Amino acid sequence: PETGGEAVRGAGGDKKEQNRRKERAGERKRLAAEFRRFLEDHYDILDQTTTFNLISSHGRTDILVHYAEVIQDRDWLVRHSLSRGKYKMALLILAKYWTKYSSGKKRKSAFDVDLFYRYTPFLLTHNERIAKEMVSTLVRIDRNLLEASRLIPAFVRYEATRKAWKEGKGGRSEWAKGGGA
């Protein structure tokens, strides 16, 4: 017959297991922070492709994002945000890039206008709120950096999408859904 001692041992064992889990979680956090510092300290001598592949093979998206931020790979960050459905984040990355460039804080890397040309069409046709914020971002950018003629196709699609939004026909245009040019 059970004396109740097993139940007590079981409860104590559960506490020990909980403590071990907490310790392992704390150790994982500490190692991840240490690895992030390593990436920050040695990014300039690490092969980017190999580093991305290695981190990716371990499924550590959080560290991939951190590494992309460290090496200032905004193209990867925007693509990653869009692939996760985080359109506002993609827009913020582009806006942050422009802000850092225009304020002179990070002038060591050239301003990549191709990022704006590449992602403006999608962000303008995703939804009305994101489109308005994208237009606001584009208006703030120095006119000498962007060629308006390269943005015209995006604004033509935007206008067609905007009319559809007003008519209540939904959000994204055919282009944004993957159709169109």
Side-chain angles (χ1 to χ4, degrees):
E2 286 187 38
T3 60
E6 289 179 19
V8 171
R9 271 193 304 260
D14 287 345
K15 283 208 180 253
K16 285 182 183 177
E17 183 58 32
Q18 286 176 349
N19 287 338
R20 277 191 224 117
R21 281 190 209 136
K22 285 181 184 178
E23 287 174 13
R24 284 192 301 263
E27 181 67 8
R28 279 192 299 273
K29 255 186 184 175
R30 187 189 64 71
L31 288 172
E34 189 176 320
F35 187 58
R36 283 185 174 90
R37 281 191 302 276
F38 171 82
L39 292 172
E40 292 166 8
D41 294 343
H42 302 289
Y43 73 93
D44 54 341
I45 60 172
L46 296 171
D47 180 73
Q48 290 181 4
T49 303
T50 303
T51 305
F52 265 113
N53 289 339
L54 184 60
I55 297 168
S56 184
S57 71
H58 288 275
R60 294 303 306 263
T61 307
D62 58 326
I63 294 180
L64 275 173
V65 169
H66 178 74
Y67 181 62
E69 289 171 347
V70 167
I71 64 171
Q72 298 181 12
D73 189 343
R74 290 192 175 61
D75 186 39
W76 187 91
L77 289 166
V78 171
R79 279 186 288 117
H80 174 75
S81 297
L82 292 175
S83 73
R84 300 284 190 277
K86 297 180 178 181
Y87 307 103
K88 174 76 173 183
M89 180 60 68
L91 179 61
L92 289 173
I93 291 164
L94 288 173
K96 180 180 173 183
Y97 182 35
W98 161 246
T99 303
K100 282 187 175 184
Y101 176 81
S102 64
S103 67
K105 291 180 184 173
K106 299 273 182 177
R107 283 204 176 241
K108 62 182 176 185
S109 60
F111 180 69
D112 187 359
V113 295
D114 288 331
L115 287 178
F116 285 88
Y117 298 138
R118 189 174 311 128
Y119 297 112
T120 294
F122 182 80
L123 291 169
L124 282 176
T125 57
H126 176 67
N127 73 38
E128 203 166 359
R129 182 178 50 83
I130 296 295
K132 286 178 181 178
E133 292 180 36
M134 186 70 211
V135 169
S136 176
T137 299
L138 289 169
V139 167
R140 291 191 322 254
I141 294 175
D142 184 351
R143 292 174 189 183
N144 295 322
L145 291 175
L146 292 176
E147 294 175 40
S149 62
R150 289 188 63 184
L151 293 170
I152 290 173
F155 279 101
V156 168
R157 287 187 200 110
Y158 167 66
E159 186 59 28
T161 303
R162 203 168 66 93
K163 286 180 183 174
W165 287 328
K166 285 186 178 193
E167 294 170 7
K169 293 184 180 177
R172 297 170 58 199
S173 71
E174 287 304 311
W175 182 89
K177 291 177 186 173

mmCIF file of all heavy atoms in Angstrom, residues 87-132:
data_model
loop_
_atom_site.group_PDB
_atom_site.id
_atom_site.type_symbol
_atom_site.label_atom_id
_atom_site.label_comp_id
_atom_site.label_asym_id
_atom_site.label_seq_id
_atom_site.Cartn_x
_atom_site.Cartn_y
_atom_site.Cartn_z
ATOM 1 N N TYR A 87 4.721 43.697 -42.419
ATOM 2 C CA TYR A 87 4.880 44.768 -43.400
ATOM 3 C C TYR A 87 5.286 46.078 -42.737
ATOM 4 O O TYR A 87 6.100 46.817 -43.275
ATOM 5 C CB TYR A 87 3.581 44.918 -44.195
ATOM 6 C CG TYR A 87 3.163 43.599 -44.781
ATOM 7 C CD1 TYR A 87 2.135 42.859 -44.210
ATOM 8 C CD2 TYR A 87 3.845 43.053 -45.864
ATOM 9 C CE1 TYR A 87 1.776 41.622 -44.716
ATOM 10 C CE2 TYR A 87 3.496 41.818 -46.370
ATOM 11 C CZ TYR A 87 2.464 41.106 -45.804
ATOM 12 O OH TYR A 87 2.138 39.887 -46.298
ATOM 13 N N LYS A 88 4.739 46.328 -41.579
ATOM 14 C CA LYS A 88 5.092 47.550 -40.845
ATOM 15 C C LYS A 88 6.580 47.511 -40.482
ATOM 16 O O LYS A 88 7.278 48.517 -40.593
ATOM 17 C CB LYS A 88 4.217 47.658 -39.591
ATOM 18 C CG LYS A 88 4.569 48.794 -38.677
ATOM 19 C CD LYS A 88 4.099 50.103 -39.204
ATOM 20 C CE LYS A 88 4.329 51.177 -38.155
ATOM 21 N NZ LYS A 88 3.856 52.446 -38.545
ATOM 22 N N MET A 89 7.062 46.358 -40.072
ATOM 23 C CA MET A 89 8.475 46.217 -39.718
ATOM 24 C C MET A 89 9.352 46.457 -40.949
ATOM 25 O O MET A 89 10.385 47.132 -40.853
ATOM 26 C CB MET A 89 8.751 44.832 -39.143
ATOM 27 C CG MET A 89 10.196 44.603 -38.751
ATOM 28 S SD MET A 89 10.812 45.736 -37.487
ATOM 29 C CE MET A 89 9.869 45.219 -36.086
ATOM 30 N N ALA A 90 8.970 45.922 -42.094
ATOM 31 C CA ALA A 90 9.743 46.148 -43.327
ATOM 32 C C ALA A 90 9.820 47.640 -43.637
ATOM 33 O O ALA A 90 10.887 48.157 -43.981
ATOM 34 C CB ALA A 90 9.105 45.391 -44.492
ATOM 35 N N LEU A 91 8.711 48.308 -43.492
ATOM 36 C CA LEU A 91 8.674 49.754 -43.726
ATOM 37 C C LEU A 91 9.551 50.488 -42.712
ATOM 38 O O LEU A 91 10.300 51.405 -43.083
ATOM 39 C CB LEU A 91 7.233 50.257 -43.653
ATOM 40 C CG LEU A 91 7.010 51.739 -43.846
ATOM 41 C CD1 LEU A 91 7.493 52.183 -45.224
ATOM 42 C CD2 LEU A 91 5.544 52.066 -43.683
ATOM 43 N N LEU A 92 9.499 50.076 -41.472
ATOM 44 C CA LEU A 92 10.326 50.712 -40.444
ATOM 45 C C LEU A 92 11.821 50.508 -40.712
ATOM 46 O O LEU A 92 12.620 51.404 -40.467
ATOM 47 C CB LEU A 92 9.967 50.173 -39.057
ATOM 48 C CG LEU A 92 8.625 50.620 -38.511
ATOM 49 C CD1 LEU A 92 8.304 49.882 -37.212
ATOM 50 C CD2 LEU A 92 8.583 52.118 -38.299
ATOM 51 N N ILE A 93 12.175 49.348 -41.234
ATOM 52 C CA ILE A 93 13.581 49.096 -41.562
ATOM 53 C C ILE A 93 14.035 50.055 -42.656
ATOM 54 O O ILE A 93 15.105 50.661 -42.565
ATOM 55 C CB ILE A 93 13.794 47.627 -41.983
ATOM 56 C CG1 ILE A 93 13.601 46.717 -40.772
ATOM 57 C CG2 ILE A 93 15.183 47.430 -42.601
ATOM 58 C CD1 ILE A 93 13.410 45.259 -41.126
ATOM 59 N N LEU A 94 13.211 50.220 -43.688
ATOM 60 C CA LEU A 94 13.562 51.172 -44.757
ATOM 61 C C LEU A 94 13.618 52.599 -44.214
ATOM 62 O O LEU A 94 14.545 53.350 -44.527
ATOM 63 C CB LEU A 94 12.548 51.092 -45.900
ATOM 64 C CG LEU A 94 12.620 49.839 -46.760
ATOM 65 C CD1 LEU A 94 11.457 49.813 -47.735
ATOM 66 C CD2 LEU A 94 13.949 49.751 -47.491
ATOM 67 N N ALA A 95 12.655 52.967 -43.386
ATOM 68 C CA ALA A 95 12.624 54.326 -42.836
ATOM 69 C C ALA A 95 13.818 54.555 -41.912
ATOM 70 O O ALA A 95 14.440 55.619 -41.948
ATOM 71 C CB ALA A 95 11.312 54.566 -42.087
ATOM 72 N N LYS A 96 14.158 53.559 -41.112
ATOM 73 C CA LYS A 96 15.298 53.670 -40.208
ATOM 74 C C LYS A 96 16.587 53.820 -41.010
ATOM 75 O O LYS A 96 17.457 54.609 -40.664
ATOM 76 C CB LYS A 96 15.365 52.426 -39.324
ATOM 77 C CG LYS A 96 16.505 52.405 -38.344
ATOM 78 C CD LYS A 96 16.443 51.115 -37.524
ATOM 79 C CE LYS A 96 17.648 50.961 -36.643
ATOM 80 N NZ LYS A 96 17.623 49.689 -35.923
ATOM 81 N N TYR A 97 16.684 53.087 -42.080
ATOM 82 C CA TYR A 97 17.849 53.158 -42.954
ATOM 83 C C TYR A 97 18.002 54.567 -43.497
ATOM 84 O O TYR A 97 19.070 55.152 -43.469
ATOM 85 C CB TYR A 97 17.668 52.149 -44.079
ATOM 86 C CG TYR A 97 18.806 52.049 -45.067
ATOM 87 C CD1 TYR A 97 20.132 52.210 -44.669
ATOM 88 C CD2 TYR A 97 18.550 51.763 -46.385
ATOM 89 C CE1 TYR A 97 21.167 52.092 -45.568
ATOM 90 C CE2 TYR A 97 19.577 51.638 -47.292
ATOM 91 C CZ TYR A 97 20.885 51.812 -46.884
ATOM 92 O OH TYR A 97 21.895 51.697 -47.786
ATOM 93 N N TRP A 98 16.893 55.134 -43.964
ATOM 94 C CA TRP A 98 16.933 56.494 -44.491
ATOM 95 C C TRP A 98 17.304 57.485 -43.398
ATOM 96 O O TRP A 98 18.135 58.361 -43.585
ATOM 97 C CB TRP A 98 15.598 56.872 -45.127
ATOM 98 C CG TRP A 98 15.458 58.359 -45.257
ATOM 99 C CD1 TRP A 98 14.570 59.150 -44.616
ATOM 100 C CD2 TRP A 98 16.272 59.227 -46.022
ATOM 101 N NE1 TRP A 98 14.782 60.450 -44.946
ATOM 102 C CE2 TRP A 98 15.824 60.535 -45.815
ATOM 103 C CE3 TRP A 98 17.351 59.035 -46.875
ATOM 104 C CZ2 TRP A 98 16.400 61.638 -46.423
ATOM 105 C CZ3 TRP A 98 17.935 60.135 -47.478
ATOM 106 C CH2 TRP A 98 17.453 61.408 -47.240
ATOM 107 N N THR A 99 16.709 57.334 -42.214
ATOM 108 C CA THR A 99 16.960 58.258 -41.107
ATOM 109 C C THR A 99 18.431 58.232 -40.708
ATOM 110 O O THR A 99 19.048 59.273 -40.520
ATOM 111 C CB THR A 99 16.082 57.892 -39.892
ATOM 112 O OG1 THR A 99 14.723 57.908 -40.307
ATOM 113 C CG2 THR A 99 16.279 58.865 -38.756
ATOM 114 N N LYS A 100 19.006 57.033 -40.589
ATOM 115 C CA LYS A 100 20.413 56.944 -40.217
ATOM 116 C C LYS A 100 21.302 57.564 -41.289
ATOM 117 O O LYS A 100 22.281 58.209 -40.990
ATOM 118 C CB LYS A 100 20.814 55.490 -39.979
ATOM 119 C CG LYS A 100 20.353 54.970 -38.652
ATOM 120 C CD LYS A 100 20.914 53.605 -38.390
ATOM 121 C CE LYS A 100 20.543 53.162 -36.990
ATOM 122 N NZ LYS A 100 21.146 51.893 -36.666
ATOM 123 N N TYR A 101 20.929 57.336 -42.553
ATOM 124 C CA TYR A 101 21.739 57.894 -43.636
ATOM 125 C C TYR A 101 21.647 59.420 -43.636
ATOM 126 O O TYR A 101 22.647 60.110 -43.685
ATOM 127 C CB TYR A 101 21.279 57.350 -44.989
ATOM 128 C CG TYR A 101 22.032 57.981 -46.141
ATOM 129 C CD1 TYR A 101 23.287 57.517 -46.484
ATOM 130 C CD2 TYR A 101 21.503 59.067 -46.835
ATOM 131 C CE1 TYR A 101 23.998 58.108 -47.508
ATOM 132 C CE2 TYR A 101 22.211 59.657 -47.852
ATOM 133 C CZ TYR A 101 23.457 59.178 -48.197
ATOM 134 O OH TYR A 101 24.154 59.765 -49.203
ATOM 135 N N SER A 102 20.443 59.931 -43.540
ATOM 136 C CA SER A 102 20.239 61.381 -43.652
ATOM 137 C C SER A 102 20.799 62.142 -42.462
ATOM 138 O O SER A 102 21.195 63.291 -42.591
ATOM 139 C CB SER A 102 18.754 61.704 -43.834
ATOM 140 O OG SER A 102 18.030 61.324 -42.688
ATOM 141 N N SER A 103 20.845 61.491 -41.292
ATOM 142 C CA SER A 103 21.369 62.184 -40.115
ATOM 143 C C SER A 103 22.892 62.149 -40.066
ATOM 144 O O SER A 103 23.499 62.811 -39.243
ATOM 145 C CB SER A 103 20.807 61.563 -38.837
ATOM 146 O OG SER A 103 21.308 60.250 -38.679
ATOM 147 N N GLY A 104 23.498 61.371 -40.954
ATOM 148 C CA GLY A 104 24.949 61.304 -41.005
ATOM 149 C C GLY A 104 25.556 60.340 -40.012
ATOM 150 O O GLY A 104 26.762 60.186 -39.950
ATOM 151 N N LYS A 105 24.718 59.646 -39.231
ATOM 152 C CA LYS A 105 25.239 58.741 -38.208
ATOM 153 C C LYS A 105 25.956 57.536 -38.813
ATOM 154 O O LYS A 105 26.905 57.034 -38.257
ATOM 155 C CB LYS A 105 24.108 58.246 -37.304
ATOM 156 C CG LYS A 105 23.534 59.321 -36.420
ATOM 157 C CD LYS A 105 22.428 58.753 -35.571
ATOM 158 C CE LYS A 105 21.782 59.852 -34.751
ATOM 159 N NZ LYS A 105 20.618 59.371 -34.041
ATOM 160 N N LYS A 106 25.472 57.071 -39.925
ATOM 161 C CA LYS A 106 26.022 55.848 -40.511
ATOM 162 C C LYS A 106 26.437 56.075 -41.962
ATOM 163 O O LYS A 106 26.230 55.230 -42.804
ATOM 164 C CB LYS A 106 24.989 54.720 -40.447
ATOM 165 C CG LYS A 106 24.559 54.349 -39.069
ATOM 166 C CD LYS A 106 25.490 53.344 -38.499
ATOM 167 C CE LYS A 106 25.013 52.945 -37.112
ATOM 168 N NZ LYS A 106 25.800 51.939 -36.524
ATOM 169 N N ARG A 107 27.024 57.168 -42.256
ATOM 170 C CA ARG A 107 27.355 57.485 -43.642
ATOM 171 C C ARG A 107 28.448 56.602 -44.236
ATOM 172 O O ARG A 107 28.715 56.696 -45.419
ATOM 173 C CB ARG A 107 27.755 58.950 -43.769
ATOM 174 C CG ARG A 107 26.548 59.845 -43.731
ATOM 175 C CD ARG A 107 26.856 61.150 -44.411
ATOM 176 N NE ARG A 107 25.654 61.925 -44.431
ATOM 177 C CZ ARG A 107 25.064 62.316 -45.536
ATOM 178 N NH1 ARG A 107 25.569 62.046 -46.681
ATOM 179 N NH2 ARG A 107 23.960 63.011 -45.479
ATOM 180 N N LYS A 108 29.076 55.738 -43.421
ATOM 181 C CA LYS A 108 30.140 54.911 -43.950
ATOM 182 C C LYS A 108 29.629 53.956 -45.028
ATOM 183 O O LYS A 108 30.373 53.558 -45.899
ATOM 184 C CB LYS A 108 30.835 54.133 -42.841
ATOM 185 C CG LYS A 108 29.968 53.164 -42.092
ATOM 186 C CD LYS A 108 30.746 52.494 -40.985
ATOM 187 C CE LYS A 108 29.823 51.600 -40.182
ATOM 188 N NZ LYS A 108 30.495 51.032 -39.058
ATOM 189 N N SER A 109 28.361 53.567 -44.972
ATOM 190 C CA SER A 109 27.817 52.722 -46.031
ATOM 191 C C SER A 109 26.905 53.578 -46.913
ATOM 192 O O SER A 109 26.151 54.403 -46.429
ATOM 193 C CB SER A 109 27.034 51.555 -45.440
ATOM 194 O OG SER A 109 25.975 52.012 -44.658
ATOM 195 N N ALA A 110 27.012 53.358 -48.185
ATOM 196 C CA ALA A 110 26.238 54.146 -49.140
ATOM 197 C C ALA A 110 24.747 53.844 -49.004
ATOM 198 O O ALA A 110 24.354 52.748 -48.634
ATOM 199 C CB ALA A 110 26.704 53.845 -50.556
ATOM 200 N N PHE A 111 23.963 54.836 -49.321
ATOM 201 C CA PHE A 111 22.513 54.689 -49.298
ATOM 202 C C PHE A 111 22.110 53.855 -50.508
ATOM 203 O O PHE A 111 22.424 54.193 -51.633
ATOM 204 C CB PHE A 111 21.873 56.082 -49.351
ATOM 205 C CG PHE A 111 20.382 56.067 -49.340
ATOM 206 C CD1 PHE A 111 19.698 55.685 -48.206
ATOM 207 C CD2 PHE A 111 19.668 56.440 -50.459
ATOM 208 C CE1 PHE A 111 18.320 55.679 -48.183
ATOM 209 C CE2 PHE A 111 18.289 56.440 -50.444
ATOM 210 C CZ PHE A 111 17.611 56.058 -49.306
ATOM 211 N N ASP A 112 21.431 52.740 -50.294
ATOM 212 C CA ASP A 112 21.059 51.822 -51.364
ATOM 213 C C ASP A 112 19.644 52.136 -51.851
ATOM 214 O O ASP A 112 18.670 51.634 -51.302
ATOM 215 C CB ASP A 112 21.161 50.384 -50.858
ATOM 216 C CG ASP A 112 20.942 49.360 -51.958
ATOM 217 O OD1 ASP A 112 20.697 49.758 -53.119
ATOM 218 O OD2 ASP A 112 21.001 48.166 -51.653
ATOM 219 N N VAL A 113 19.558 52.964 -52.879
ATOM 220 C CA VAL A 113 18.246 53.351 -53.400
ATOM 221 C C VAL A 113 17.509 52.161 -53.994
ATOM 222 O O VAL A 113 16.274 52.152 -54.043
ATOM 223 C CB VAL A 113 18.347 54.488 -54.442
ATOM 224 C CG1 VAL A 113 18.860 55.751 -53.806
ATOM 225 C CG2 VAL A 113 19.191 54.086 -55.623
ATOM 226 N N ASP A 114 18.250 51.142 -54.429
ATOM 227 C CA ASP A 114 17.590 49.973 -55.005
ATOM 228 C C ASP A 114 16.647 49.290 -54.025
ATOM 229 O O ASP A 114 15.664 48.691 -54.436
ATOM 230 C CB ASP A 114 18.626 48.972 -55.523
ATOM 231 C CG ASP A 114 19.302 49.465 -56.793
ATOM 232 O OD1 ASP A 114 18.659 50.229 -57.546
ATOM 233 O OD2 ASP A 114 20.468 49.104 -57.021
ATOM 234 N N LEU A 115 16.934 49.394 -52.726
ATOM 235 C CA LEU A 115 16.003 48.829 -51.742
ATOM 236 C C LEU A 115 14.633 49.498 -51.854
ATOM 237 O O LEU A 115 13.606 48.831 -51.785
ATOM 238 C CB LEU A 115 16.533 49.008 -50.325
ATOM 239 C CG LEU A 115 17.696 48.135 -49.902
ATOM 240 C CD1 LEU A 115 18.125 48.478 -48.481
ATOM 241 C CD2 LEU A 115 17.346 46.674 -50.006
ATOM 242 N N PHE A 116 14.637 50.800 -52.025
ATOM 243 C CA PHE A 116 13.368 51.522 -52.146
ATOM 244 C C PHE A 116 12.674 51.175 -53.460
ATOM 245 O O PHE A 116 11.473 50.955 -53.489
ATOM 246 C CB PHE A 116 13.594 53.025 -52.014
ATOM 247 C CG PHE A 116 13.842 53.442 -50.597
ATOM 248 C CD1 PHE A 116 15.126 53.437 -50.077
ATOM 249 C CD2 PHE A 116 12.796 53.787 -49.766
ATOM 250 C CE1 PHE A 116 15.355 53.797 -48.764
ATOM 251 C CE2 PHE A 116 13.011 54.137 -48.446
ATOM 252 C CZ PHE A 116 14.301 54.141 -47.944
ATOM 253 N N TYR A 117 13.429 51.097 -54.540
ATOM 254 C CA TYR A 117 12.824 50.734 -55.823
ATOM 255 C C TYR A 117 12.274 49.310 -55.789
ATOM 256 O O TYR A 117 11.225 49.022 -56.360
ATOM 257 C CB TYR A 117 13.840 50.848 -56.959
ATOM 258 C CG TYR A 117 14.373 52.245 -57.181
ATOM 259 C CD1 TYR A 117 15.721 52.463 -57.426
ATOM 260 C CD2 TYR A 117 13.533 53.354 -57.140
ATOM 261 C CE1 TYR A 117 16.222 53.738 -57.637
ATOM 262 C CE2 TYR A 117 14.021 54.629 -57.338
ATOM 263 C CZ TYR A 117 15.360 54.825 -57.582
ATOM 264 O OH TYR A 117 15.855 56.083 -57.786
ATOM 265 N N ARG A 118 12.953 48.421 -55.102
ATOM 266 C CA ARG A 118 12.569 47.010 -55.046
ATOM 267 C C ARG A 118 11.306 46.794 -54.203
ATOM 268 O O ARG A 118 10.434 46.009 -54.576
ATOM 269 C CB ARG A 118 13.727 46.194 -54.472
ATOM 270 C CG ARG A 118 13.530 44.696 -54.571
ATOM 271 C CD ARG A 118 14.767 43.913 -54.122
ATOM 272 N NE ARG A 118 15.966 44.438 -54.750
ATOM 273 C CZ ARG A 118 17.071 44.792 -54.080
ATOM 274 N NH1 ARG A 118 17.138 44.662 -52.782
ATOM 275 N NH2 ARG A 118 18.118 45.260 -54.712
ATOM 276 N N TYR A 119 11.194 47.476 -53.063
ATOM 277 C CA TYR A 119 10.113 47.165 -52.132
ATOM 278 C C TYR A 119 8.958 48.161 -52.135
ATOM 279 O O TYR A 119 7.898 47.860 -51.598
ATOM 280 C CB TYR A 119 10.676 47.005 -50.717
ATOM 281 C CG TYR A 119 11.636 45.846 -50.646
ATOM 282 C CD1 TYR A 119 12.998 46.042 -50.440
ATOM 283 C CD2 TYR A 119 11.186 44.544 -50.837
ATOM 284 C CE1 TYR A 119 13.879 44.973 -50.406
ATOM 285 C CE2 TYR A 119 12.064 43.473 -50.812
ATOM 286 C CZ TYR A 119 13.409 43.695 -50.598
ATOM 287 O OH TYR A 119 14.271 42.633 -50.576
ATOM 288 N N THR A 120 9.133 49.318 -52.733
ATOM 289 C CA THR A 120 8.050 50.299 -52.784
ATOM 290 C C THR A 120 6.788 49.753 -53.454
ATOM 291 O O THR A 120 5.697 49.924 -52.915
ATOM 292 C CB THR A 120 8.519 51.607 -53.454
ATOM 293 O OG1 THR A 120 9.513 52.210 -52.619
ATOM 294 C CG2 THR A 120 7.375 52.575 -53.658
ATOM 295 N N PRO A 121 6.887 49.074 -54.612
ATOM 296 C CA PRO A 121 5.643 48.586 -55.233
ATOM 297 C C PRO A 121 4.833 47.678 -54.315
ATOM 298 O O PRO A 121 3.610 47.822 -54.222
ATOM 299 C CB PRO A 121 6.147 47.816 -56.465
ATOM 300 C CG PRO A 121 7.464 48.425 -56.775
ATOM 301 C CD PRO A 121 8.061 48.795 -55.445
ATOM 302 N N PHE A 122 5.486 46.780 -53.629
ATOM 303 C CA PHE A 122 4.746 45.880 -52.750
ATOM 304 C C PHE A 122 4.160 46.618 -51.559
ATOM 305 O O PHE A 122 2.998 46.428 -51.210
ATOM 306 C CB PHE A 122 5.643 44.738 -52.272
ATOM 307 C CG PHE A 122 4.893 43.786 -51.401
ATOM 308 C CD1 PHE A 122 4.074 42.825 -51.960
ATOM 309 C CD2 PHE A 122 4.960 43.873 -50.026
ATOM 310 C CE1 PHE A 122 3.342 41.959 -51.170
ATOM 311 C CE2 PHE A 122 4.240 43.016 -49.215
ATOM 312 C CZ PHE A 122 3.427 42.057 -49.787
ATOM 313 N N LEU A 123 4.952 47.465 -50.930
ATOM 314 C CA LEU A 123 4.461 48.169 -49.742
ATOM 315 C C LEU A 123 3.352 49.161 -50.074
ATOM 316 O O LEU A 123 2.475 49.408 -49.261
ATOM 317 C CB LEU A 123 5.620 48.849 -49.015
ATOM 318 C CG LEU A 123 6.596 47.865 -48.351
ATOM 319 C CD1 LEU A 123 7.853 48.577 -47.891
ATOM 320 C CD2 LEU A 123 5.939 47.136 -47.195
ATOM 321 N N LEU A 124 3.374 49.707 -51.284
ATOM 322 C CA LEU A 124 2.303 50.630 -51.685
ATOM 323 C C LEU A 124 0.991 49.909 -51.956
ATOM 324 O O LEU A 124 -0.069 50.523 -51.894
ATOM 325 C CB LEU A 124 2.707 51.408 -52.939
ATOM 326 C CG LEU A 124 3.663 52.569 -52.747
ATOM 327 C CD1 LEU A 124 4.030 53.175 -54.101
ATOM 328 C CD2 LEU A 124 3.081 53.632 -51.837
ATOM 329 N N THR A 125 1.066 48.628 -52.282
ATOM 330 C CA THR A 125 -0.161 47.916 -52.648
ATOM 331 C C THR A 125 -0.578 46.863 -51.630
ATOM 332 O O THR A 125 -1.508 46.114 -51.880
ATOM 333 C CB THR A 125 0.002 47.243 -54.031
ATOM 334 O OG1 THR A 125 1.128 46.372 -54.001
ATOM 335 C CG2 THR A 125 0.169 48.278 -55.122
ATOM 336 N N HIS A 126 0.075 46.823 -50.490
ATOM 337 C CA HIS A 126 -0.289 45.807 -49.499
ATOM 338 C C HIS A 126 -1.594 46.153 -48.783
ATOM 339 O O HIS A 126 -2.541 45.385 -48.803
ATOM 340 C CB HIS A 126 0.818 45.594 -48.475
ATOM 341 C CG HIS A 126 0.397 44.641 -47.416
ATOM 342 N ND1 HIS A 126 0.160 43.313 -47.696
ATOM 343 C CD2 HIS A 126 0.097 44.811 -46.119
ATOM 344 C CE1 HIS A 126 -0.257 42.722 -46.597
ATOM 345 N NE2 HIS A 126 -0.296 43.597 -45.622
ATOM 346 N N ASN A 127 -1.607 47.284 -48.105
ATOM 347 C CA ASN A 127 -2.854 47.761 -47.508
ATOM 348 C C ASN A 127 -2.762 49.275 -47.376
ATOM 349 O O ASN A 127 -1.686 49.859 -47.487
ATOM 350 C CB ASN A 127 -3.199 47.063 -46.179
ATOM 351 C CG ASN A 127 -2.327 47.474 -45.011
ATOM 352 O OD1 ASN A 127 -1.950 48.634 -44.858
ATOM 353 N ND2 ASN A 127 -2.002 46.516 -44.166
ATOM 354 N N GLU A 128 -3.887 49.884 -47.139
ATOM 355 C CA GLU A 128 -3.970 51.347 -47.181
ATOM 356 C C GLU A 128 -3.090 52.031 -46.135
ATOM 357 O O GLU A 128 -2.410 53.016 -46.421
ATOM 358 C CB GLU A 128 -5.430 51.768 -47.001
ATOM 359 C CG GLU A 128 -5.722 53.128 -47.551
ATOM 360 C CD GLU A 128 -7.217 53.380 -47.677
ATOM 361 O OE1 GLU A 128 -8.025 52.498 -47.349
ATOM 362 O OE2 GLU A 128 -7.560 54.483 -48.117
ATOM 363 N N ARG A 129 -3.057 51.493 -44.934
ATOM 364 C CA ARG A 129 -2.268 52.108 -43.867
ATOM 365 C C ARG A 129 -0.771 52.055 -44.197
ATOM 366 O O ARG A 129 -0.068 53.062 -44.084
ATOM 367 C CB ARG A 129 -2.545 51.405 -42.546
ATOM 368 C CG ARG A 129 -1.810 52.005 -41.360
ATOM 369 C CD ARG A 129 -2.154 51.292 -40.058
ATOM 370 N NE ARG A 129 -2.031 49.847 -40.125
ATOM 371 C CZ ARG A 129 -0.873 49.189 -39.959
ATOM 372 N NH1 ARG A 129 0.221 49.831 -39.713
ATOM 373 N NH2 ARG A 129 -0.855 47.872 -40.020
ATOM 374 N N ILE A 130 -0.297 50.897 -44.626
ATOM 375 C CA ILE A 130 1.124 50.746 -44.988
ATOM 376 C C ILE A 130 1.447 51.633 -46.185
ATOM 377 O O ILE A 130 2.512 52.268 -46.233
ATOM 378 C CB ILE A 130 1.456 49.271 -45.285
ATOM 379 C CG1 ILE A 130 1.287 48.407 -44.042
ATOM 380 C CG2 ILE A 130 2.860 49.126 -45.865
ATOM 381 C CD1 ILE A 130 2.243 48.705 -42.912
ATOM 382 N N ALA A 131 0.536 51.703 -47.148
ATOM 383 C CA ALA A 131 0.761 52.541 -48.335
ATOM 384 C C ALA A 131 0.936 54.009 -47.948
ATOM 385 O O ALA A 131 1.848 54.681 -48.434
ATOM 386 C CB ALA A 131 -0.398 52.382 -49.317
ATOM 387 N N LYS A 132 0.077 54.489 -47.057
ATOM 388 C CA LYS A 132 0.187 55.893 -46.624
ATOM 389 C C LYS A 132 1.524 56.147 -45.933
ATOM 390 O O LYS A 132 2.161 57.173 -46.150
ATOM 391 C CB LYS A 132 -0.970 56.253 -45.694
ATOM 392 C CG LYS A 132 -2.288 56.417 -46.420
ATOM 393 C CD LYS A 132 -3.414 56.735 -45.459
ATOM 394 C CE LYS A 132 -4.720 56.866 -46.218
ATOM 395 N NZ LYS A 132 -5.848 57.132 -45.331
#
